[in-house]
Amino acid sequence: MATFSRLIRAIVFDFDGLILDTEEPVYRSWLEVYQAHGEELPFERWVQIVGSTTIGFHPQHHLEERLGRSLPKEVLDRRIGRRTEMILAQKVLPGVVQHIESAKAMGLKLGVASSSTGDWVRGHLARLGILDAFDCLRCRDDVANAKPEPDLYLAVLECLGVQASETIAIEDSPNGVMAAKRAGLRCVAIPNSITARLDLGQADVILGSLAEVTLADLLRKVAST
Ligand SMILES: [Mg+2]
């Protein structure tokens, strides 16, 4: 354990669904629009975009195709309003702040790798008062390919000046876990209400919440895999 801890120099966090549960609000805001139009939002298609981008499934275009017409601007604006309202009601997920503080105390570097835009991630982290805790953020706009491709993790490693073997990723979605593993990192998965229904089996360790463990426990668990 002591040897392994010395080998670890950085922790990279995902943002959506890991630091803040934006996943349920985004899903619910679309679900409400689908239900108001008497349509079903296919969950198996929805999960393609969790942790990634809407390249695989675009909820607006899909519903417009089903209806055979465009959704009015008021409907789309109201959906964004509902999403924002539900996100603003969320607190930072349990254990996240404690792990950030522990990592700082241990002298580890901290990064964020997110398939969302830089404006989205920086805006929320600043609002939550934890933006300055991170040494480096890499978001959708910084790389050619979002998760599950490894680009975001490779970009964070370069920015932090660390190797994949020295870094642990913390993720909530299969797309995120795959991106981290493809970049060669060890990965801890913490499912949320949406991703708990998905297969996170590629992660090295799966926990119910970051609040279940100290950072030392987490490093020990990863070391024993
Ligand atoms: Mg995520």
Side-chain angles (χ1 to χ4, degrees):
M1 164 61 193
T3 315
F4 180 74
S5 289
R6 276 200 297 276
L7 285 175
I8 293 302
R9 295 178 57 206
I11 311 274
V12 180
F13 289 75
D14 173 45
F15 175 69
D16 290 279
L18 190 274
I19 290 178
L20 191 69
D21 189 6
T22 57
E23 294 295 356
E24 180 77 30
V26 173
Y27 175 69
R28 197 145 293 281
S29 68
W30 274 115
L31 187 64
E32 288 174 2
V33 176
Y34 273 69
Q35 286 173 342
H37 290 82
E39 291 287 338
E40 260 183 50
L41 175 53
F43 187 73
E44 73 286 355
R45 298 289 311 280
W46 179 266
V47 299
Q48 289 179 263
I49 70 179
V50 175
S52 187
T53 63
T54 50
I55 289 174
F57 173 70
H58 197 292
Q60 179 190 337
H61 296 167
H62 178 78
L63 181 55
E64 288 177 339
E65 223 165 85
R66 299 278 309 160
L67 299 172
R69 61 182 165 84
S70 298
L71 289 166
K73 188 175 177 299
E74 310 85 77
V75 170
L76 298 173
D77 288 349
R78 202 178 317 128
R79 203 279 302 176
I80 298 276
R82 278 289 290 147
R83 181 192 71 183
T84 304
E85 184 189 348
M86 290 187 277
I87 289 176
L88 293 180
Q90 302 290 326
K91 291 192 169 73
V92 176
L93 280 160
V96 169
V97 171
Q98 291 84 339
H99 278 71
I100 288 173
E101 286 169 357
S102 302
K104 289 266 172 215
M106 289 168 74
L108 302 180
K109 292 182 178 178
L110 285 172
V112 171
S114 171
S115 293
S116 289
T117 63
D119 284 350
W120 172 267
V121 177
R122 283 193 179 80
H124 284 297
L125 291 176
R127 177 177 66 79
L128 297 165
I130 52 175
L131 176 61
D132 294 342
F134 296 97
D135 301 294
C136 175
L137 277 73
R138 286 294 178 265
C139 304
R140 180 202 299 179
D141 352 39
D142 299 317
V143 295
N145 303 297
K147 301 170 190 175
E149 298 304 323
D151 305 31
L152 283 160
Y153 277 101
L154 295 174
V156 172
L157 294 177
E158 189 183 1
C159 172
L160 293 174
V162 295
Q163 303 293 317
S165 59
E166 301 170 321
T167 309
I168 292 175
I170 311 181
E171 277 285 354
D172 70 298
S173 73
N175 280 323
V177 171
M178 196 169 295
K181 296 308 294 178
R182 282 175 175 170
L185 282 73
R186 269 161 294 189
C187 185
V188 175
I190 319 277
N192 52 50
S193 58
I194 300 287
T195 60
R197 293 188 256 171
L198 308 178
D199 181 12
L200 292 163
Q202 283 205 41
D204 298 281
V205 173
I206 302 177
L207 298 173
S209 158
L210 271 181
E212 282 176 10
V213 292
T214 64
L215 184 55
D217 290 337
L218 185 128
L219 293 178
R220 208 173 293 123
K221 280 180 188 289
V222 175
S224 67
T225 60

